[in-house]
Coordinates of all heavy atoms in Angstrom, one line a residue:
Chain A
T3 N 1.9 5.3 0.4 CA 1.6 6.4 1.4 C 0.4 7.1 1.0 O -0.5 7.5 1.8 CB 2.8 7.4 1.4 OG1 4.0 6.7 1.4 CG2 2.7 8.3 2.6
R4 N 0.3 7.4 -0.3 CA -0.9 8.1 -0.8 C -2.2 7.4 -0.5 O -3.2 8.0 0.0 CB -0.8 8.4 -2.3 CG -1.8 9.4 -2.7 CD -1.7 9.6 -4.2 NE -0.3 10.1 -4.6 CZ 0.2 9.9 -5.8 NH1 -0.5 9.3 -6.8 NH2 1.4 10.4 -6.1
T5 N -2.2 6.1 -0.7 CA -3.4 5.3 -0.4 C -3.7 5.4 1.1 O -4.9 5.5 1.4 CB -3.2 3.9 -0.9 OG1 -2.6 3.9 -2.1 CG2 -4.5 3.1 -0.9
V6 N -2.7 5.3 1.9 CA -2.9 5.3 3.3 C -3.6 6.6 3.7 O -4.6 6.7 4.5 CB -1.6 5.1 4.1 CG1 -1.9 5.3 5.6 CG2 -1.1 3.7 3.8
A7 N -3.0 7.7 3.2 CA -3.6 9.0 3.5 C -5.0 9.1 3.1 O -5.9 9.6 3.8 CB -2.8 10.1 2.8
A8 N -5.3 8.6 1.9 CA -6.6 8.6 1.4 C -7.6 7.8 2.3 O -8.7 8.2 2.6 CB -6.7 8.1 -0.1
L9 N -7.1 6.6 2.7 CA -7.9 5.8 3.6 C -8.2 6.5 4.9 O -9.2 6.4 5.5 CB -7.2 4.4 3.8 CG -7.3 3.5 2.6 CD1 -6.4 2.3 2.8 CD2 -8.7 3.1 2.2
A10 N -7.2 7.2 5.4 CA -7.3 8.0 6.7 C -8.5 9.0 6.5 O -9.3 9.1 7.4 CB -6.0 8.6 7.0
L11 N -8.5 9.6 5.3 CA -9.5 10.6 5.1 C -10.9 9.9 5.0 O -11.9 10.4 5.5 CB -9.3 11.3 3.7 CG -8.4 12.5 3.7 CD1 -8.1 13.0 2.3 CD2 -9.1 13.6 4.5
A12 N -10.8 8.7 4.5 CA -12.1 7.9 4.3 C -12.6 7.6 5.7 O -13.8 7.4 5.9 CB -11.9 6.7 3.5
G13 N -11.7 7.5 6.7 CA -12.1 7.2 8.0 C -13.2 8.2 8.6 O -13.9 7.9 9.5
L14 N -13.2 9.4 8.0 CA -14.2 10.4 8.4 C -15.6 9.9 8.0 O -16.6 10.3 8.6 CB -14.0 11.7 7.6 CG -12.7 12.4 8.1 CD1 -12.4 13.6 7.1 CD2 -12.8 13.0 9.5
L15 N -15.7 9.0 7.0 CA -17.0 8.5 6.6 C -17.5 7.4 7.5 O -16.7 6.8 8.3 CB -16.8 8.0 5.2 CG -16.3 8.9 4.1 CD1 -15.9 8.2 2.9 CD2 -17.3 10.0 3.8
A16 N -18.7 7.1 7.4 CA -19.3 6.0 8.1 C -18.9 4.7 7.4 O -17.9 4.7 6.7 CB -20.8 6.1 8.1
A17 N -19.7 3.7 7.4 CA -19.4 2.4 6.8 C -19.0 2.7 5.3 O -19.7 3.4 4.7 CB -20.6 1.5 6.9
P18 N -18.0 2.1 4.8 CA -17.6 2.3 3.4 C -18.7 1.9 2.5 O -19.4 0.9 2.7 CB -16.3 1.5 3.2 CG -16.2 0.6 4.4 CD -17.1 1.2 5.5
A19 N -18.8 2.7 1.5 CA -20.0 2.5 0.5 C -19.9 1.2 -0.2 O -20.9 0.7 -0.6 CB -20.0 3.7 -0.5
W20 N -18.6 0.7 -0.4 CA -18.5 -0.5 -1.2 C -18.6 -1.8 -0.4 O -18.5 -2.9 -0.9 CB -17.2 -0.4 -2.0 CG -16.0 -0.4 -1.0 CD1 -15.3 -1.5 -0.6 CD2 -15.4 0.7 -0.4 NE1 -14.4 -1.1 0.3 CE2 -14.4 0.2 0.4 CE3 -15.7 2.1 -0.4 CZ2 -13.6 1.1 1.2 CZ3 -14.9 2.9 0.3 CH2 -13.9 2.4 1.2
A21 N -18.7 -1.7 0.9 CA -18.7 -2.9 1.7 C -20.0 -3.6 1.4 O -21.0 -3.0 1.2 CB -18.7 -2.5 3.2
E22 N -19.9 -4.9 1.3 CA -21.1 -5.7 1.0 C -22.1 -5.6 2.1 O -21.8 -5.7 3.2 CB -20.7 -7.2 0.7 CG -21.9 -7.9 0.1 CD -21.5 -9.2 -0.6 OE1 -20.4 -9.5 -0.5 OE2 -22.4 -9.8 -1.2
D23 N -23.3 -5.4 1.7 CA -24.4 -5.0 2.6 C -25.6 -6.0 2.2 O -25.9 -6.1 1.1 CB -24.7 -3.5 2.4 CG -26.0 -3.1 3.0 OD1 -26.7 -4.0 3.6 OD2 -26.3 -1.9 2.9
A24 N -26.1 -6.6 3.3 CA -27.2 -7.5 3.0 C -28.4 -6.9 2.3 O -29.1 -7.6 1.5 CB -27.7 -8.1 4.3
E25 N -28.6 -5.6 2.5 CA -29.7 -5.0 1.9 C -29.3 -4.3 0.5 O -30.1 -3.6 -0.1 CB -30.3 -3.9 2.8 CG -31.0 -4.5 4.0 CD -31.4 -3.5 5.0 OE1 -31.6 -2.3 4.6 OE2 -31.4 -3.8 6.2
E26 N -28.1 -4.6 0.1 CA -27.7 -4.0 -1.2 C -28.5 -4.6 -2.3 O -28.4 -5.8 -2.6 CB -26.2 -4.3 -1.4 CG -25.6 -4.0 -2.7 CD -24.2 -4.5 -2.8 OE1 -23.3 -3.8 -2.3 OE2 -24.0 -5.6 -3.4
R27 N -29.3 -3.8 -3.0 CA -30.1 -4.3 -4.0 C -30.5 -3.2 -4.9 O -30.8 -2.1 -4.5 CB -31.4 -4.9 -3.4 CG -32.2 -5.7 -4.5 CD -33.5 -6.3 -3.9 NE -34.2 -7.0 -4.9 CZ -35.4 -7.4 -4.8 NH1 -36.1 -7.2 -3.7 NH2 -36.0 -8.1 -5.8
L28 N -30.5 -3.4 -6.2 CA -31.0 -2.4 -7.2 C -32.1 -3.1 -8.0 O -31.8 -4.0 -8.9 CB -29.8 -1.9 -8.1 CG -30.2 -1.0 -9.2 CD1 -31.0 0.2 -8.7 CD2 -29.0 -0.5 -10.0
L29 N -33.3 -2.7 -7.7 CA -34.5 -3.2 -8.5 C -35.1 -1.9 -9.2 O -35.6 -1.1 -8.5 CB -35.5 -3.8 -7.5 CG -36.7 -4.4 -8.1 CD1 -36.3 -5.7 -8.9 CD2 -37.7 -4.8 -7.0
V30 N -34.9 -1.8 -10.5 CA -35.3 -0.6 -11.2 C -36.7 -0.7 -11.5 O -37.3 -1.7 -12.0 CB -34.4 -0.5 -12.5 CG1 -34.9 0.7 -13.3 CG2 -33.0 -0.4 -12.2
N31 N -37.4 0.4 -11.2 CA -38.9 0.5 -11.5 C -39.7 -0.7 -10.8 O -40.7 -1.1 -11.3 CB -39.2 0.5 -13.0 CG -38.5 1.6 -13.7 OD1 -38.3 2.7 -13.1 ND2 -38.3 1.5 -15.0
D32 N -39.2 -1.2 -9.7 CA -39.8 -2.3 -9.0 C -39.9 -3.5 -9.8 O -40.7 -4.4 -9.5 CB -41.2 -1.9 -8.5 CG -41.1 -0.9 -7.3 OD1 -40.2 -1.1 -6.5 OD2 -41.9 0.0 -7.2
E33 N -39.2 -3.6 -10.9 CA -39.3 -4.8 -11.8 C -38.0 -5.3 -12.4 O -37.9 -6.5 -12.6 CB -40.4 -4.6 -12.9 CG -40.0 -3.4 -13.8 CD -41.1 -3.3 -14.9 OE1 -42.0 -4.1 -15.0 OE2 -40.9 -2.3 -15.7
I34 N -37.0 -4.5 -12.6 CA -35.8 -5.0 -13.3 C -34.7 -5.2 -12.2 O -34.2 -4.2 -11.6 CB -35.3 -4.0 -14.3 CG1 -36.4 -3.6 -15.3 CG2 -34.1 -4.6 -15.1 CD1 -36.1 -2.5 -16.2
E35 N -34.4 -6.5 -12.0 CA -33.3 -6.8 -11.0 C -32.0 -6.6 -11.7 O -31.7 -7.2 -12.7 CB -33.5 -8.2 -10.5 CG -32.6 -8.6 -9.4 CD -33.1 -8.2 -8.1 OE1 -34.2 -8.5 -7.7 OE2 -32.3 -7.5 -7.4
I36 N -31.1 -5.8 -11.0 CA -29.8 -5.6 -11.6 C -28.8 -6.5 -10.8 O -28.8 -6.4 -9.6 CB -29.4 -4.1 -11.5 CG1 -30.4 -3.2 -12.2 CG2 -28.0 -3.9 -11.9 CD1 -30.4 -3.4 -13.7
T37 N -28.0 -7.2 -11.5 CA -26.9 -8.0 -10.9 C -25.8 -7.1 -10.5 O -25.1 -6.6 -11.4 CB -26.5 -9.1 -11.9 OG1 -27.6 -9.9 -12.2 CG2 -25.4 -10.0 -11.3
L38 N -25.6 -6.9 -9.2 CA -24.6 -6.0 -8.7 C -23.2 -6.7 -8.5 O -22.2 -6.0 -8.6 CB -25.0 -5.3 -7.4 CG -26.3 -4.5 -7.5 CD1 -26.8 -4.1 -6.2 CD2 -26.1 -3.3 -8.4
R39 N -23.2 -8.0 -8.3 CA -22.0 -8.7 -8.1 C -22.1 -10.0 -8.9 O -23.2 -10.7 -8.8 CB -21.7 -9.0 -6.6 CG -21.5 -7.8 -5.8 CD -21.4 -8.1 -4.3 NE -21.4 -6.8 -3.5 CZ -20.3 -6.2 -3.1 NH1 -19.1 -6.8 -3.3 NH2 -20.4 -5.1 -2.5
A40 N -21.1 -10.4 -9.6 CA -21.1 -11.6 -10.3 C -19.7 -12.3 -10.3 O -18.7 -11.6 -10.0 CB -21.5 -11.4 -11.8
P41 N -19.7 -13.6 -10.5 CA -18.4 -14.3 -10.6 C -17.5 -13.6 -11.7 O -18.0 -13.3 -12.7 CB -18.7 -15.7 -10.9 CG -20.2 -15.9 -10.6 CD -20.8 -14.5 -10.8
A42 N -16.2 -13.5 -11.4 CA -15.3 -12.9 -12.4 C -15.2 -13.9 -13.6 O -15.1 -15.1 -13.4 CB -13.9 -12.7 -11.8
P43 N -15.2 -13.3 -14.8 CA -15.1 -14.2 -16.0 C -13.8 -15.0 -15.9 O -12.8 -14.5 -15.4 CB -15.1 -13.2 -17.1 CG -15.6 -11.9 -16.6 CD -15.4 -11.9 -15.2
E44 N -13.8 -16.1 -16.5 CA -12.6 -17.0 -16.4 C -11.3 -16.4 -17.0 O -10.2 -16.5 -16.5 CB -12.9 -18.3 -17.2 CG -13.2 -19.5 -16.4 CD -13.5 -20.7 -17.2 OE1 -12.8 -20.9 -18.2 OE2 -14.5 -21.4 -16.9
H45 N -11.5 -15.6 -18.1 CA -10.3 -15.0 -18.7 C -9.6 -14.1 -17.8 O -8.4 -13.7 -18.0 CB -10.7 -14.3 -20.0 CG -11.5 -13.0 -19.9 ND1 -11.0 -11.8 -19.4 CD2 -12.8 -12.8 -20.1 CE1 -11.9 -10.9 -19.4 NE2 -13.1 -11.5 -19.8
L46 N -10.2 -13.6 -16.7 CA -9.5 -12.7 -15.8 C -8.5 -13.5 -14.9 O -7.7 -12.9 -14.3 CB -10.5 -12.0 -14.9 CG -11.2 -10.7 -15.5 CD1 -12.2 -10.1 -14.6 CD2 -10.1 -9.7 -15.9
D47 N -8.7 -14.8 -14.9 CA -7.7 -15.7 -14.2 C -7.4 -15.2 -12.8 O -6.2 -15.1 -12.4 CB -6.4 -15.6 -15.1 CG -5.6 -16.9 -14.9 OD1 -6.1 -17.9 -14.4 OD2 -4.4 -16.8 -15.2
G48 N -8.5 -14.9 -12.1 CA -8.3 -14.5 -10.7 C -7.8 -13.1 -10.4 O -7.6 -12.7 -9.2
A49 N -7.8 -12.3 -11.4 CA -7.3 -10.9 -11.2 C -8.3 -10.1 -10.4 O -7.9 -9.2 -9.6 CB -7.1 -10.2 -12.6
L50 N -9.6 -10.5 -10.4 CA -10.6 -9.9 -9.5 C -11.3 -11.1 -8.8 O -11.6 -12.1 -9.5 CB -11.6 -9.1 -10.3 CG -11.2 -7.8 -11.0 CD1 -12.3 -7.3 -11.9 CD2 -10.7 -6.8 -10.0
P51 N -11.6 -10.9 -7.5 CA -12.3 -12.0 -6.8 C -13.7 -12.1 -7.3 O -14.3 -13.2 -7.3 CB -12.2 -11.6 -5.3 CG -11.9 -10.1 -5.3 CD -11.2 -9.8 -6.6
E52 N -14.3 -11.0 -7.6 CA -15.7 -11.0 -8.2 C -15.8 -9.7 -9.0 O -15.0 -8.8 -8.8 CB -16.7 -11.1 -7.1 CG -16.7 -9.9 -6.2 CD -17.8 -9.9 -5.1 OE1 -18.8 -10.6 -5.3 OE2 -17.7 -9.1 -4.2
I53 N -16.8 -9.6 -9.8 CA -17.0 -8.3 -10.5 C -18.2 -7.6 -9.9 O -19.2 -8.2 -9.5 CB -17.1 -8.5 -12.1 CG1 -18.2 -9.5 -12.4 CG2 -15.8 -8.9 -12.7 CD1 -18.5 -9.6 -13.9

Side-chain angles (χ1 to χ4, degrees):
Chain A
T3 317
R4 192 181 301 157
T5 315
V6 174
L9 287 173
L11 274 172
L14 293 169
L15 304 169
W20 62 92
E22 189 160 7
D23 167 358
E25 289 172 29
E26 171 188 278
R27 188 180 182 196
L28 175 55
L29 185 66
V30 177
N31 300 334
D32 288 325
E33 58 178 357
I34 308 169
E35 186 80 53
I36 300 295
T37 300
L38 297 172
R39 294 170 190 267
E44 259 178 43
H45 68 76
L46 279 177
D47 203 19
L50 293 172
E52 62 175 346
I53 52 174

